[in-house]
Amino acid sequence: MVHALRKYVRITDYINKGVGWLLFAMLAVMSILIFWQVFARFVAGNSLTFSEEASRFLMIWLVLLGTAYSIKGGSLIAIDLLQSKLKGNAQKTVKLIMSIIACVFYVILLINGFEIAQSVSFQTAPTTGLSMFWPMLALPVGGLLMFINTIAVLIEDFIGKEEQ
């Protein structure tokens, strides 16, 4: 059982490595688009039509994927006053309860996010012509990755981290 749980954590590490590279690429593209937009507007005197919209869609994906990525790394902002005051099993119980509540939210985000993405799929963005399904797909994908990473963090907390 412990071996299977450790394998799950390793798989999430591989997924997060890929997500990290994807975040890097999306941030680079978004930065280039915004730089080019500013340059085109103030130096060339002619702004681009698609860069603002494309950057906005990339930002949606960056926030949701970045949140999921941050869960596994433990780098999200948290109020842990109660958790830091507790020790042993009480601390683990509070963390488990908080993780269960978070996972319920992630499942809601996953289910409702997919419904939202499907309901706006017929709409197209004005300048890029992209179906609104693609920016809204970030909601269920982000929810799924957040759920997966929260479970992996719980596994690591309860059975210990694997030695490299």
Side-chain angles (χ1 to χ4, degrees), residues 17-110:
K17 192 170 196 152
V19 168
W21 282 105
L22 182 60
L23 288 168
F24 168 77
M26 287 191 307
L27 184 60
V29 168
M30 191 177 83
S31 298
I32 291 167
L33 283 173
I34 292 171
F35 173 79
W36 187 254
Q37 172 71 14
V38 171
F39 178 80
R41 179 176 291 161
F42 293 112
V43 176
N46 188 12
S47 62
L48 302 172
T49 57
F50 72 94
S51 63
E52 182 182 344
E53 189 173 276
S55 296
R56 192 176 320 122
F57 294 162
L58 285 169
M59 179 64 81
I60 293 167
W61 277 93
L62 278 167
V63 167
L64 286 152
L65 293 181
T67 301
Y69 184 82
S70 297
I71 287 172
K72 184 68 168 71
S75 55
L76 283 178
I77 296 173
I79 300 173
D80 61 352
L81 180 66
L82 176 62
Q83 189 177 342
S84 65
K85 297 288 183 195
L86 299 173
K87 301 289 180 218
N89 286 338
Q91 185 180 43
K92 285 185 176 186
T93 302
V94 168
K95 183 156 187 170
L96 179 64
I97 291 168
M98 291 184 328
S99 295
I100 289 170
I101 292 169
C103 283
V104 168
F105 171 73
Y106 304 148
V107 169
I108 291 169
L109 185 63
L110 174 66

Side-chain angles (χ1 to χ4, degrees), residues 116-124 130-134:
I116 290 168
Q118 284 183 320
S119 70
V120 298
S121 64
F122 68 92
Q123 298 176 359
T124 56
L130 188 68
S131 168
M132 292 304 290
F133 175 81
W134 298 110

Side-chain angles (χ1 to χ4, degrees), residues 1-17 72 148-164:
M1 179 69 169
V2 172
H3 177 70
L5 294 175
R6 289 195 193 284
K7 188 169 185 160
Y8 176 85
V9 171
R10 275 196 308 275
I11 290 169
T12 61
D13 288 340
Y14 289 127
I15 291 170
N16 283 318
K17 192 170 196 152
K72 184 68 168 71
I148 289 169
N149 282 332
T150 300
I151 299 301
V153 168
L154 277 175
I155 290 169
E156 286 181 334
D157 286 348
F158 282 90
I159 67 169
K161 293 189 180 191
E162 187 177 24
E163 274 118 52
Q164 302 288 334

